[in-house]
Amino acid sequence: PDLAAKVEKLKTLTKESQEEQSKAGLDTLTDEERVRFLSLNESYRVKFGFPFILAVRNATKYTVISAVEGRISNTPEEEFVSALGQVHKIAWMRLLGAIDYPNPAGFLTCHVLDTANGCPADNMRIQLHRLSPPDAAGLIAEFRTNDDGRLPGGPALKGSDFQVGVYEWTFYVGDYFARKNTTTTGTPFLDEIPLRFGIDDPTEHYHVPLLVSPWSFSTYRGS
């Protein structure tokens, strides 16, 4: 179905589509945004001969407009592949919402490395929050890293607690570097580091580490 048509006829959609469009904020487009989106969508349809498709459940209206702006420069062959990928995402997310997985095999781990001192970041305080789904949002747990910079006791999330959604680590690096007597500024450049990430597959291992100094940090999805 045409995403632009969905914007114009939101109340006539299925429950799933209404929920997805509302989460993306497509029902709150300003007049300028609506005109811009409909114009881009028409140009897209003329060029490719099929409607613009985007998995909008975890997108914002800015994501939607940015996506059509970026994809309209594709070749027809490239865009057909992109559109099929979006159909796969839509089907995947709806499938996850329709089935019950009471004891998923996936789990979440963390590892903190102190790149300033060249060692694991031991005894660092870390909090894990769940941000979505909203009915399960809140603080999950607080940890202290062990001598290896890992979480004591194994995964931060596993079993029934390991749910698809958006999460956030908070790393209290200012306290850690004060304990290590590492030189910092009076107003720390990095004090608390929030790291937001998404879990999309309840069957997989998500390793979300932090490499940190008083002046920089990086992360990646490890294994």
Side-chain angles (χ1 to χ4, degrees):
D2 191 331
L3 188 56
K6 290 185 176 186
V7 171
E8 296 297 291
K9 302 176 181 179
L10 188 61
K11 293 182 180 180
T12 67
L13 303 177
T14 64
K15 179 181 177 181
E16 291 83 1
S17 288
Q18 285 189 37
E19 179 181 333
E20 290 163 358
Q21 314 316 312
S22 296
K23 284 183 178 179
L26 295 181
D27 55 342
T28 65
L29 288 170
T30 65
D31 289 342
E32 183 179 352
E33 290 167 340
R34 185 182 300 273
V35 168
R36 173 65 173 158
F37 176 64
L38 294 178
S39 174
L40 284 167
N41 185 78
E42 180 59 25
S43 297
Y44 179 100
R45 179 184 281 278
V46 169
K47 178 175 180 179
F48 297 116
F50 51 83
F52 176 69
I53 300 171
L54 184 71
V56 298
R57 179 168 296 191
N58 294 313
T60 67
K61 62 182 181 180
Y62 305 107
T63 311
V64 174
I65 293 173
S66 296
V68 68
E69 286 175 339
R71 285 166 52 187
I72 202 167
S73 62
N74 283 346
T75 65
E77 295 78 12
E78 291 171 335
E79 185 52 28
F80 186 72
V81 173
S82 293
L84 286 180
Q86 294 300 318
V87 171
H88 173 80
K89 286 184 180 181
I90 294 168
W92 172 252
M93 289 187 287
R94 290 189 179 182
L95 180 63
L96 287 176
I99 62 175
D100 184 27
Y101 42 97
N103 192 30
F107 56 100
L108 171 67
T109 56
C110 183
H111 190 198
V112 188
L113 296 174
D114 175 351
T115 59
N117 295 295
C119 62
D122 64 301
N123 200 28
M124 181 184 290
R125 182 163 66 103
I126 307 172
Q127 290 184 340
L128 178 64
H129 285 82
R130 181 181 288 117
L131 304 183
S132 74
D135 58 350
L139 176 66
I140 295 174
E142 182 169 303
F143 307 92
R144 289 274 180 176
T145 55
N146 61 21
D147 291 345
D148 193 36
R150 301 180 188 274
L151 305 183
L157 288 175
K158 62 181 179 179
S160 60
D161 292 329
F162 189 76
Q163 301 176 19
V164 170
V166 178
Y167 296 80
E168 187 171 279
W169 291 119
T170 302
F171 298 90
Y172 292 88
V173 301
D175 299 341
Y176 166 80
F177 285 118
R179 185 179 298 107
K180 296 290 286 187
N181 196 30
T182 302
T183 300
T184 60
T185 50
T187 300
F189 182 67
L190 296 175
D191 186 15
E192 300 175 11
I193 297 178
L195 182 58
R196 188 170 297 185
F197 61 98
I199 291 175
D200 181 63
D201 190 333
T203 69
E204 294 188 352
H205 175 199
Y206 283 73
H207 182 62
V208 187
L210 182 75
L211 288 75
V212 65
S213 79
W215 318 107
S216 66
F217 68 92
S218 63
T219 189
Y220 55 91
R221 182 183 168 186
S223 60

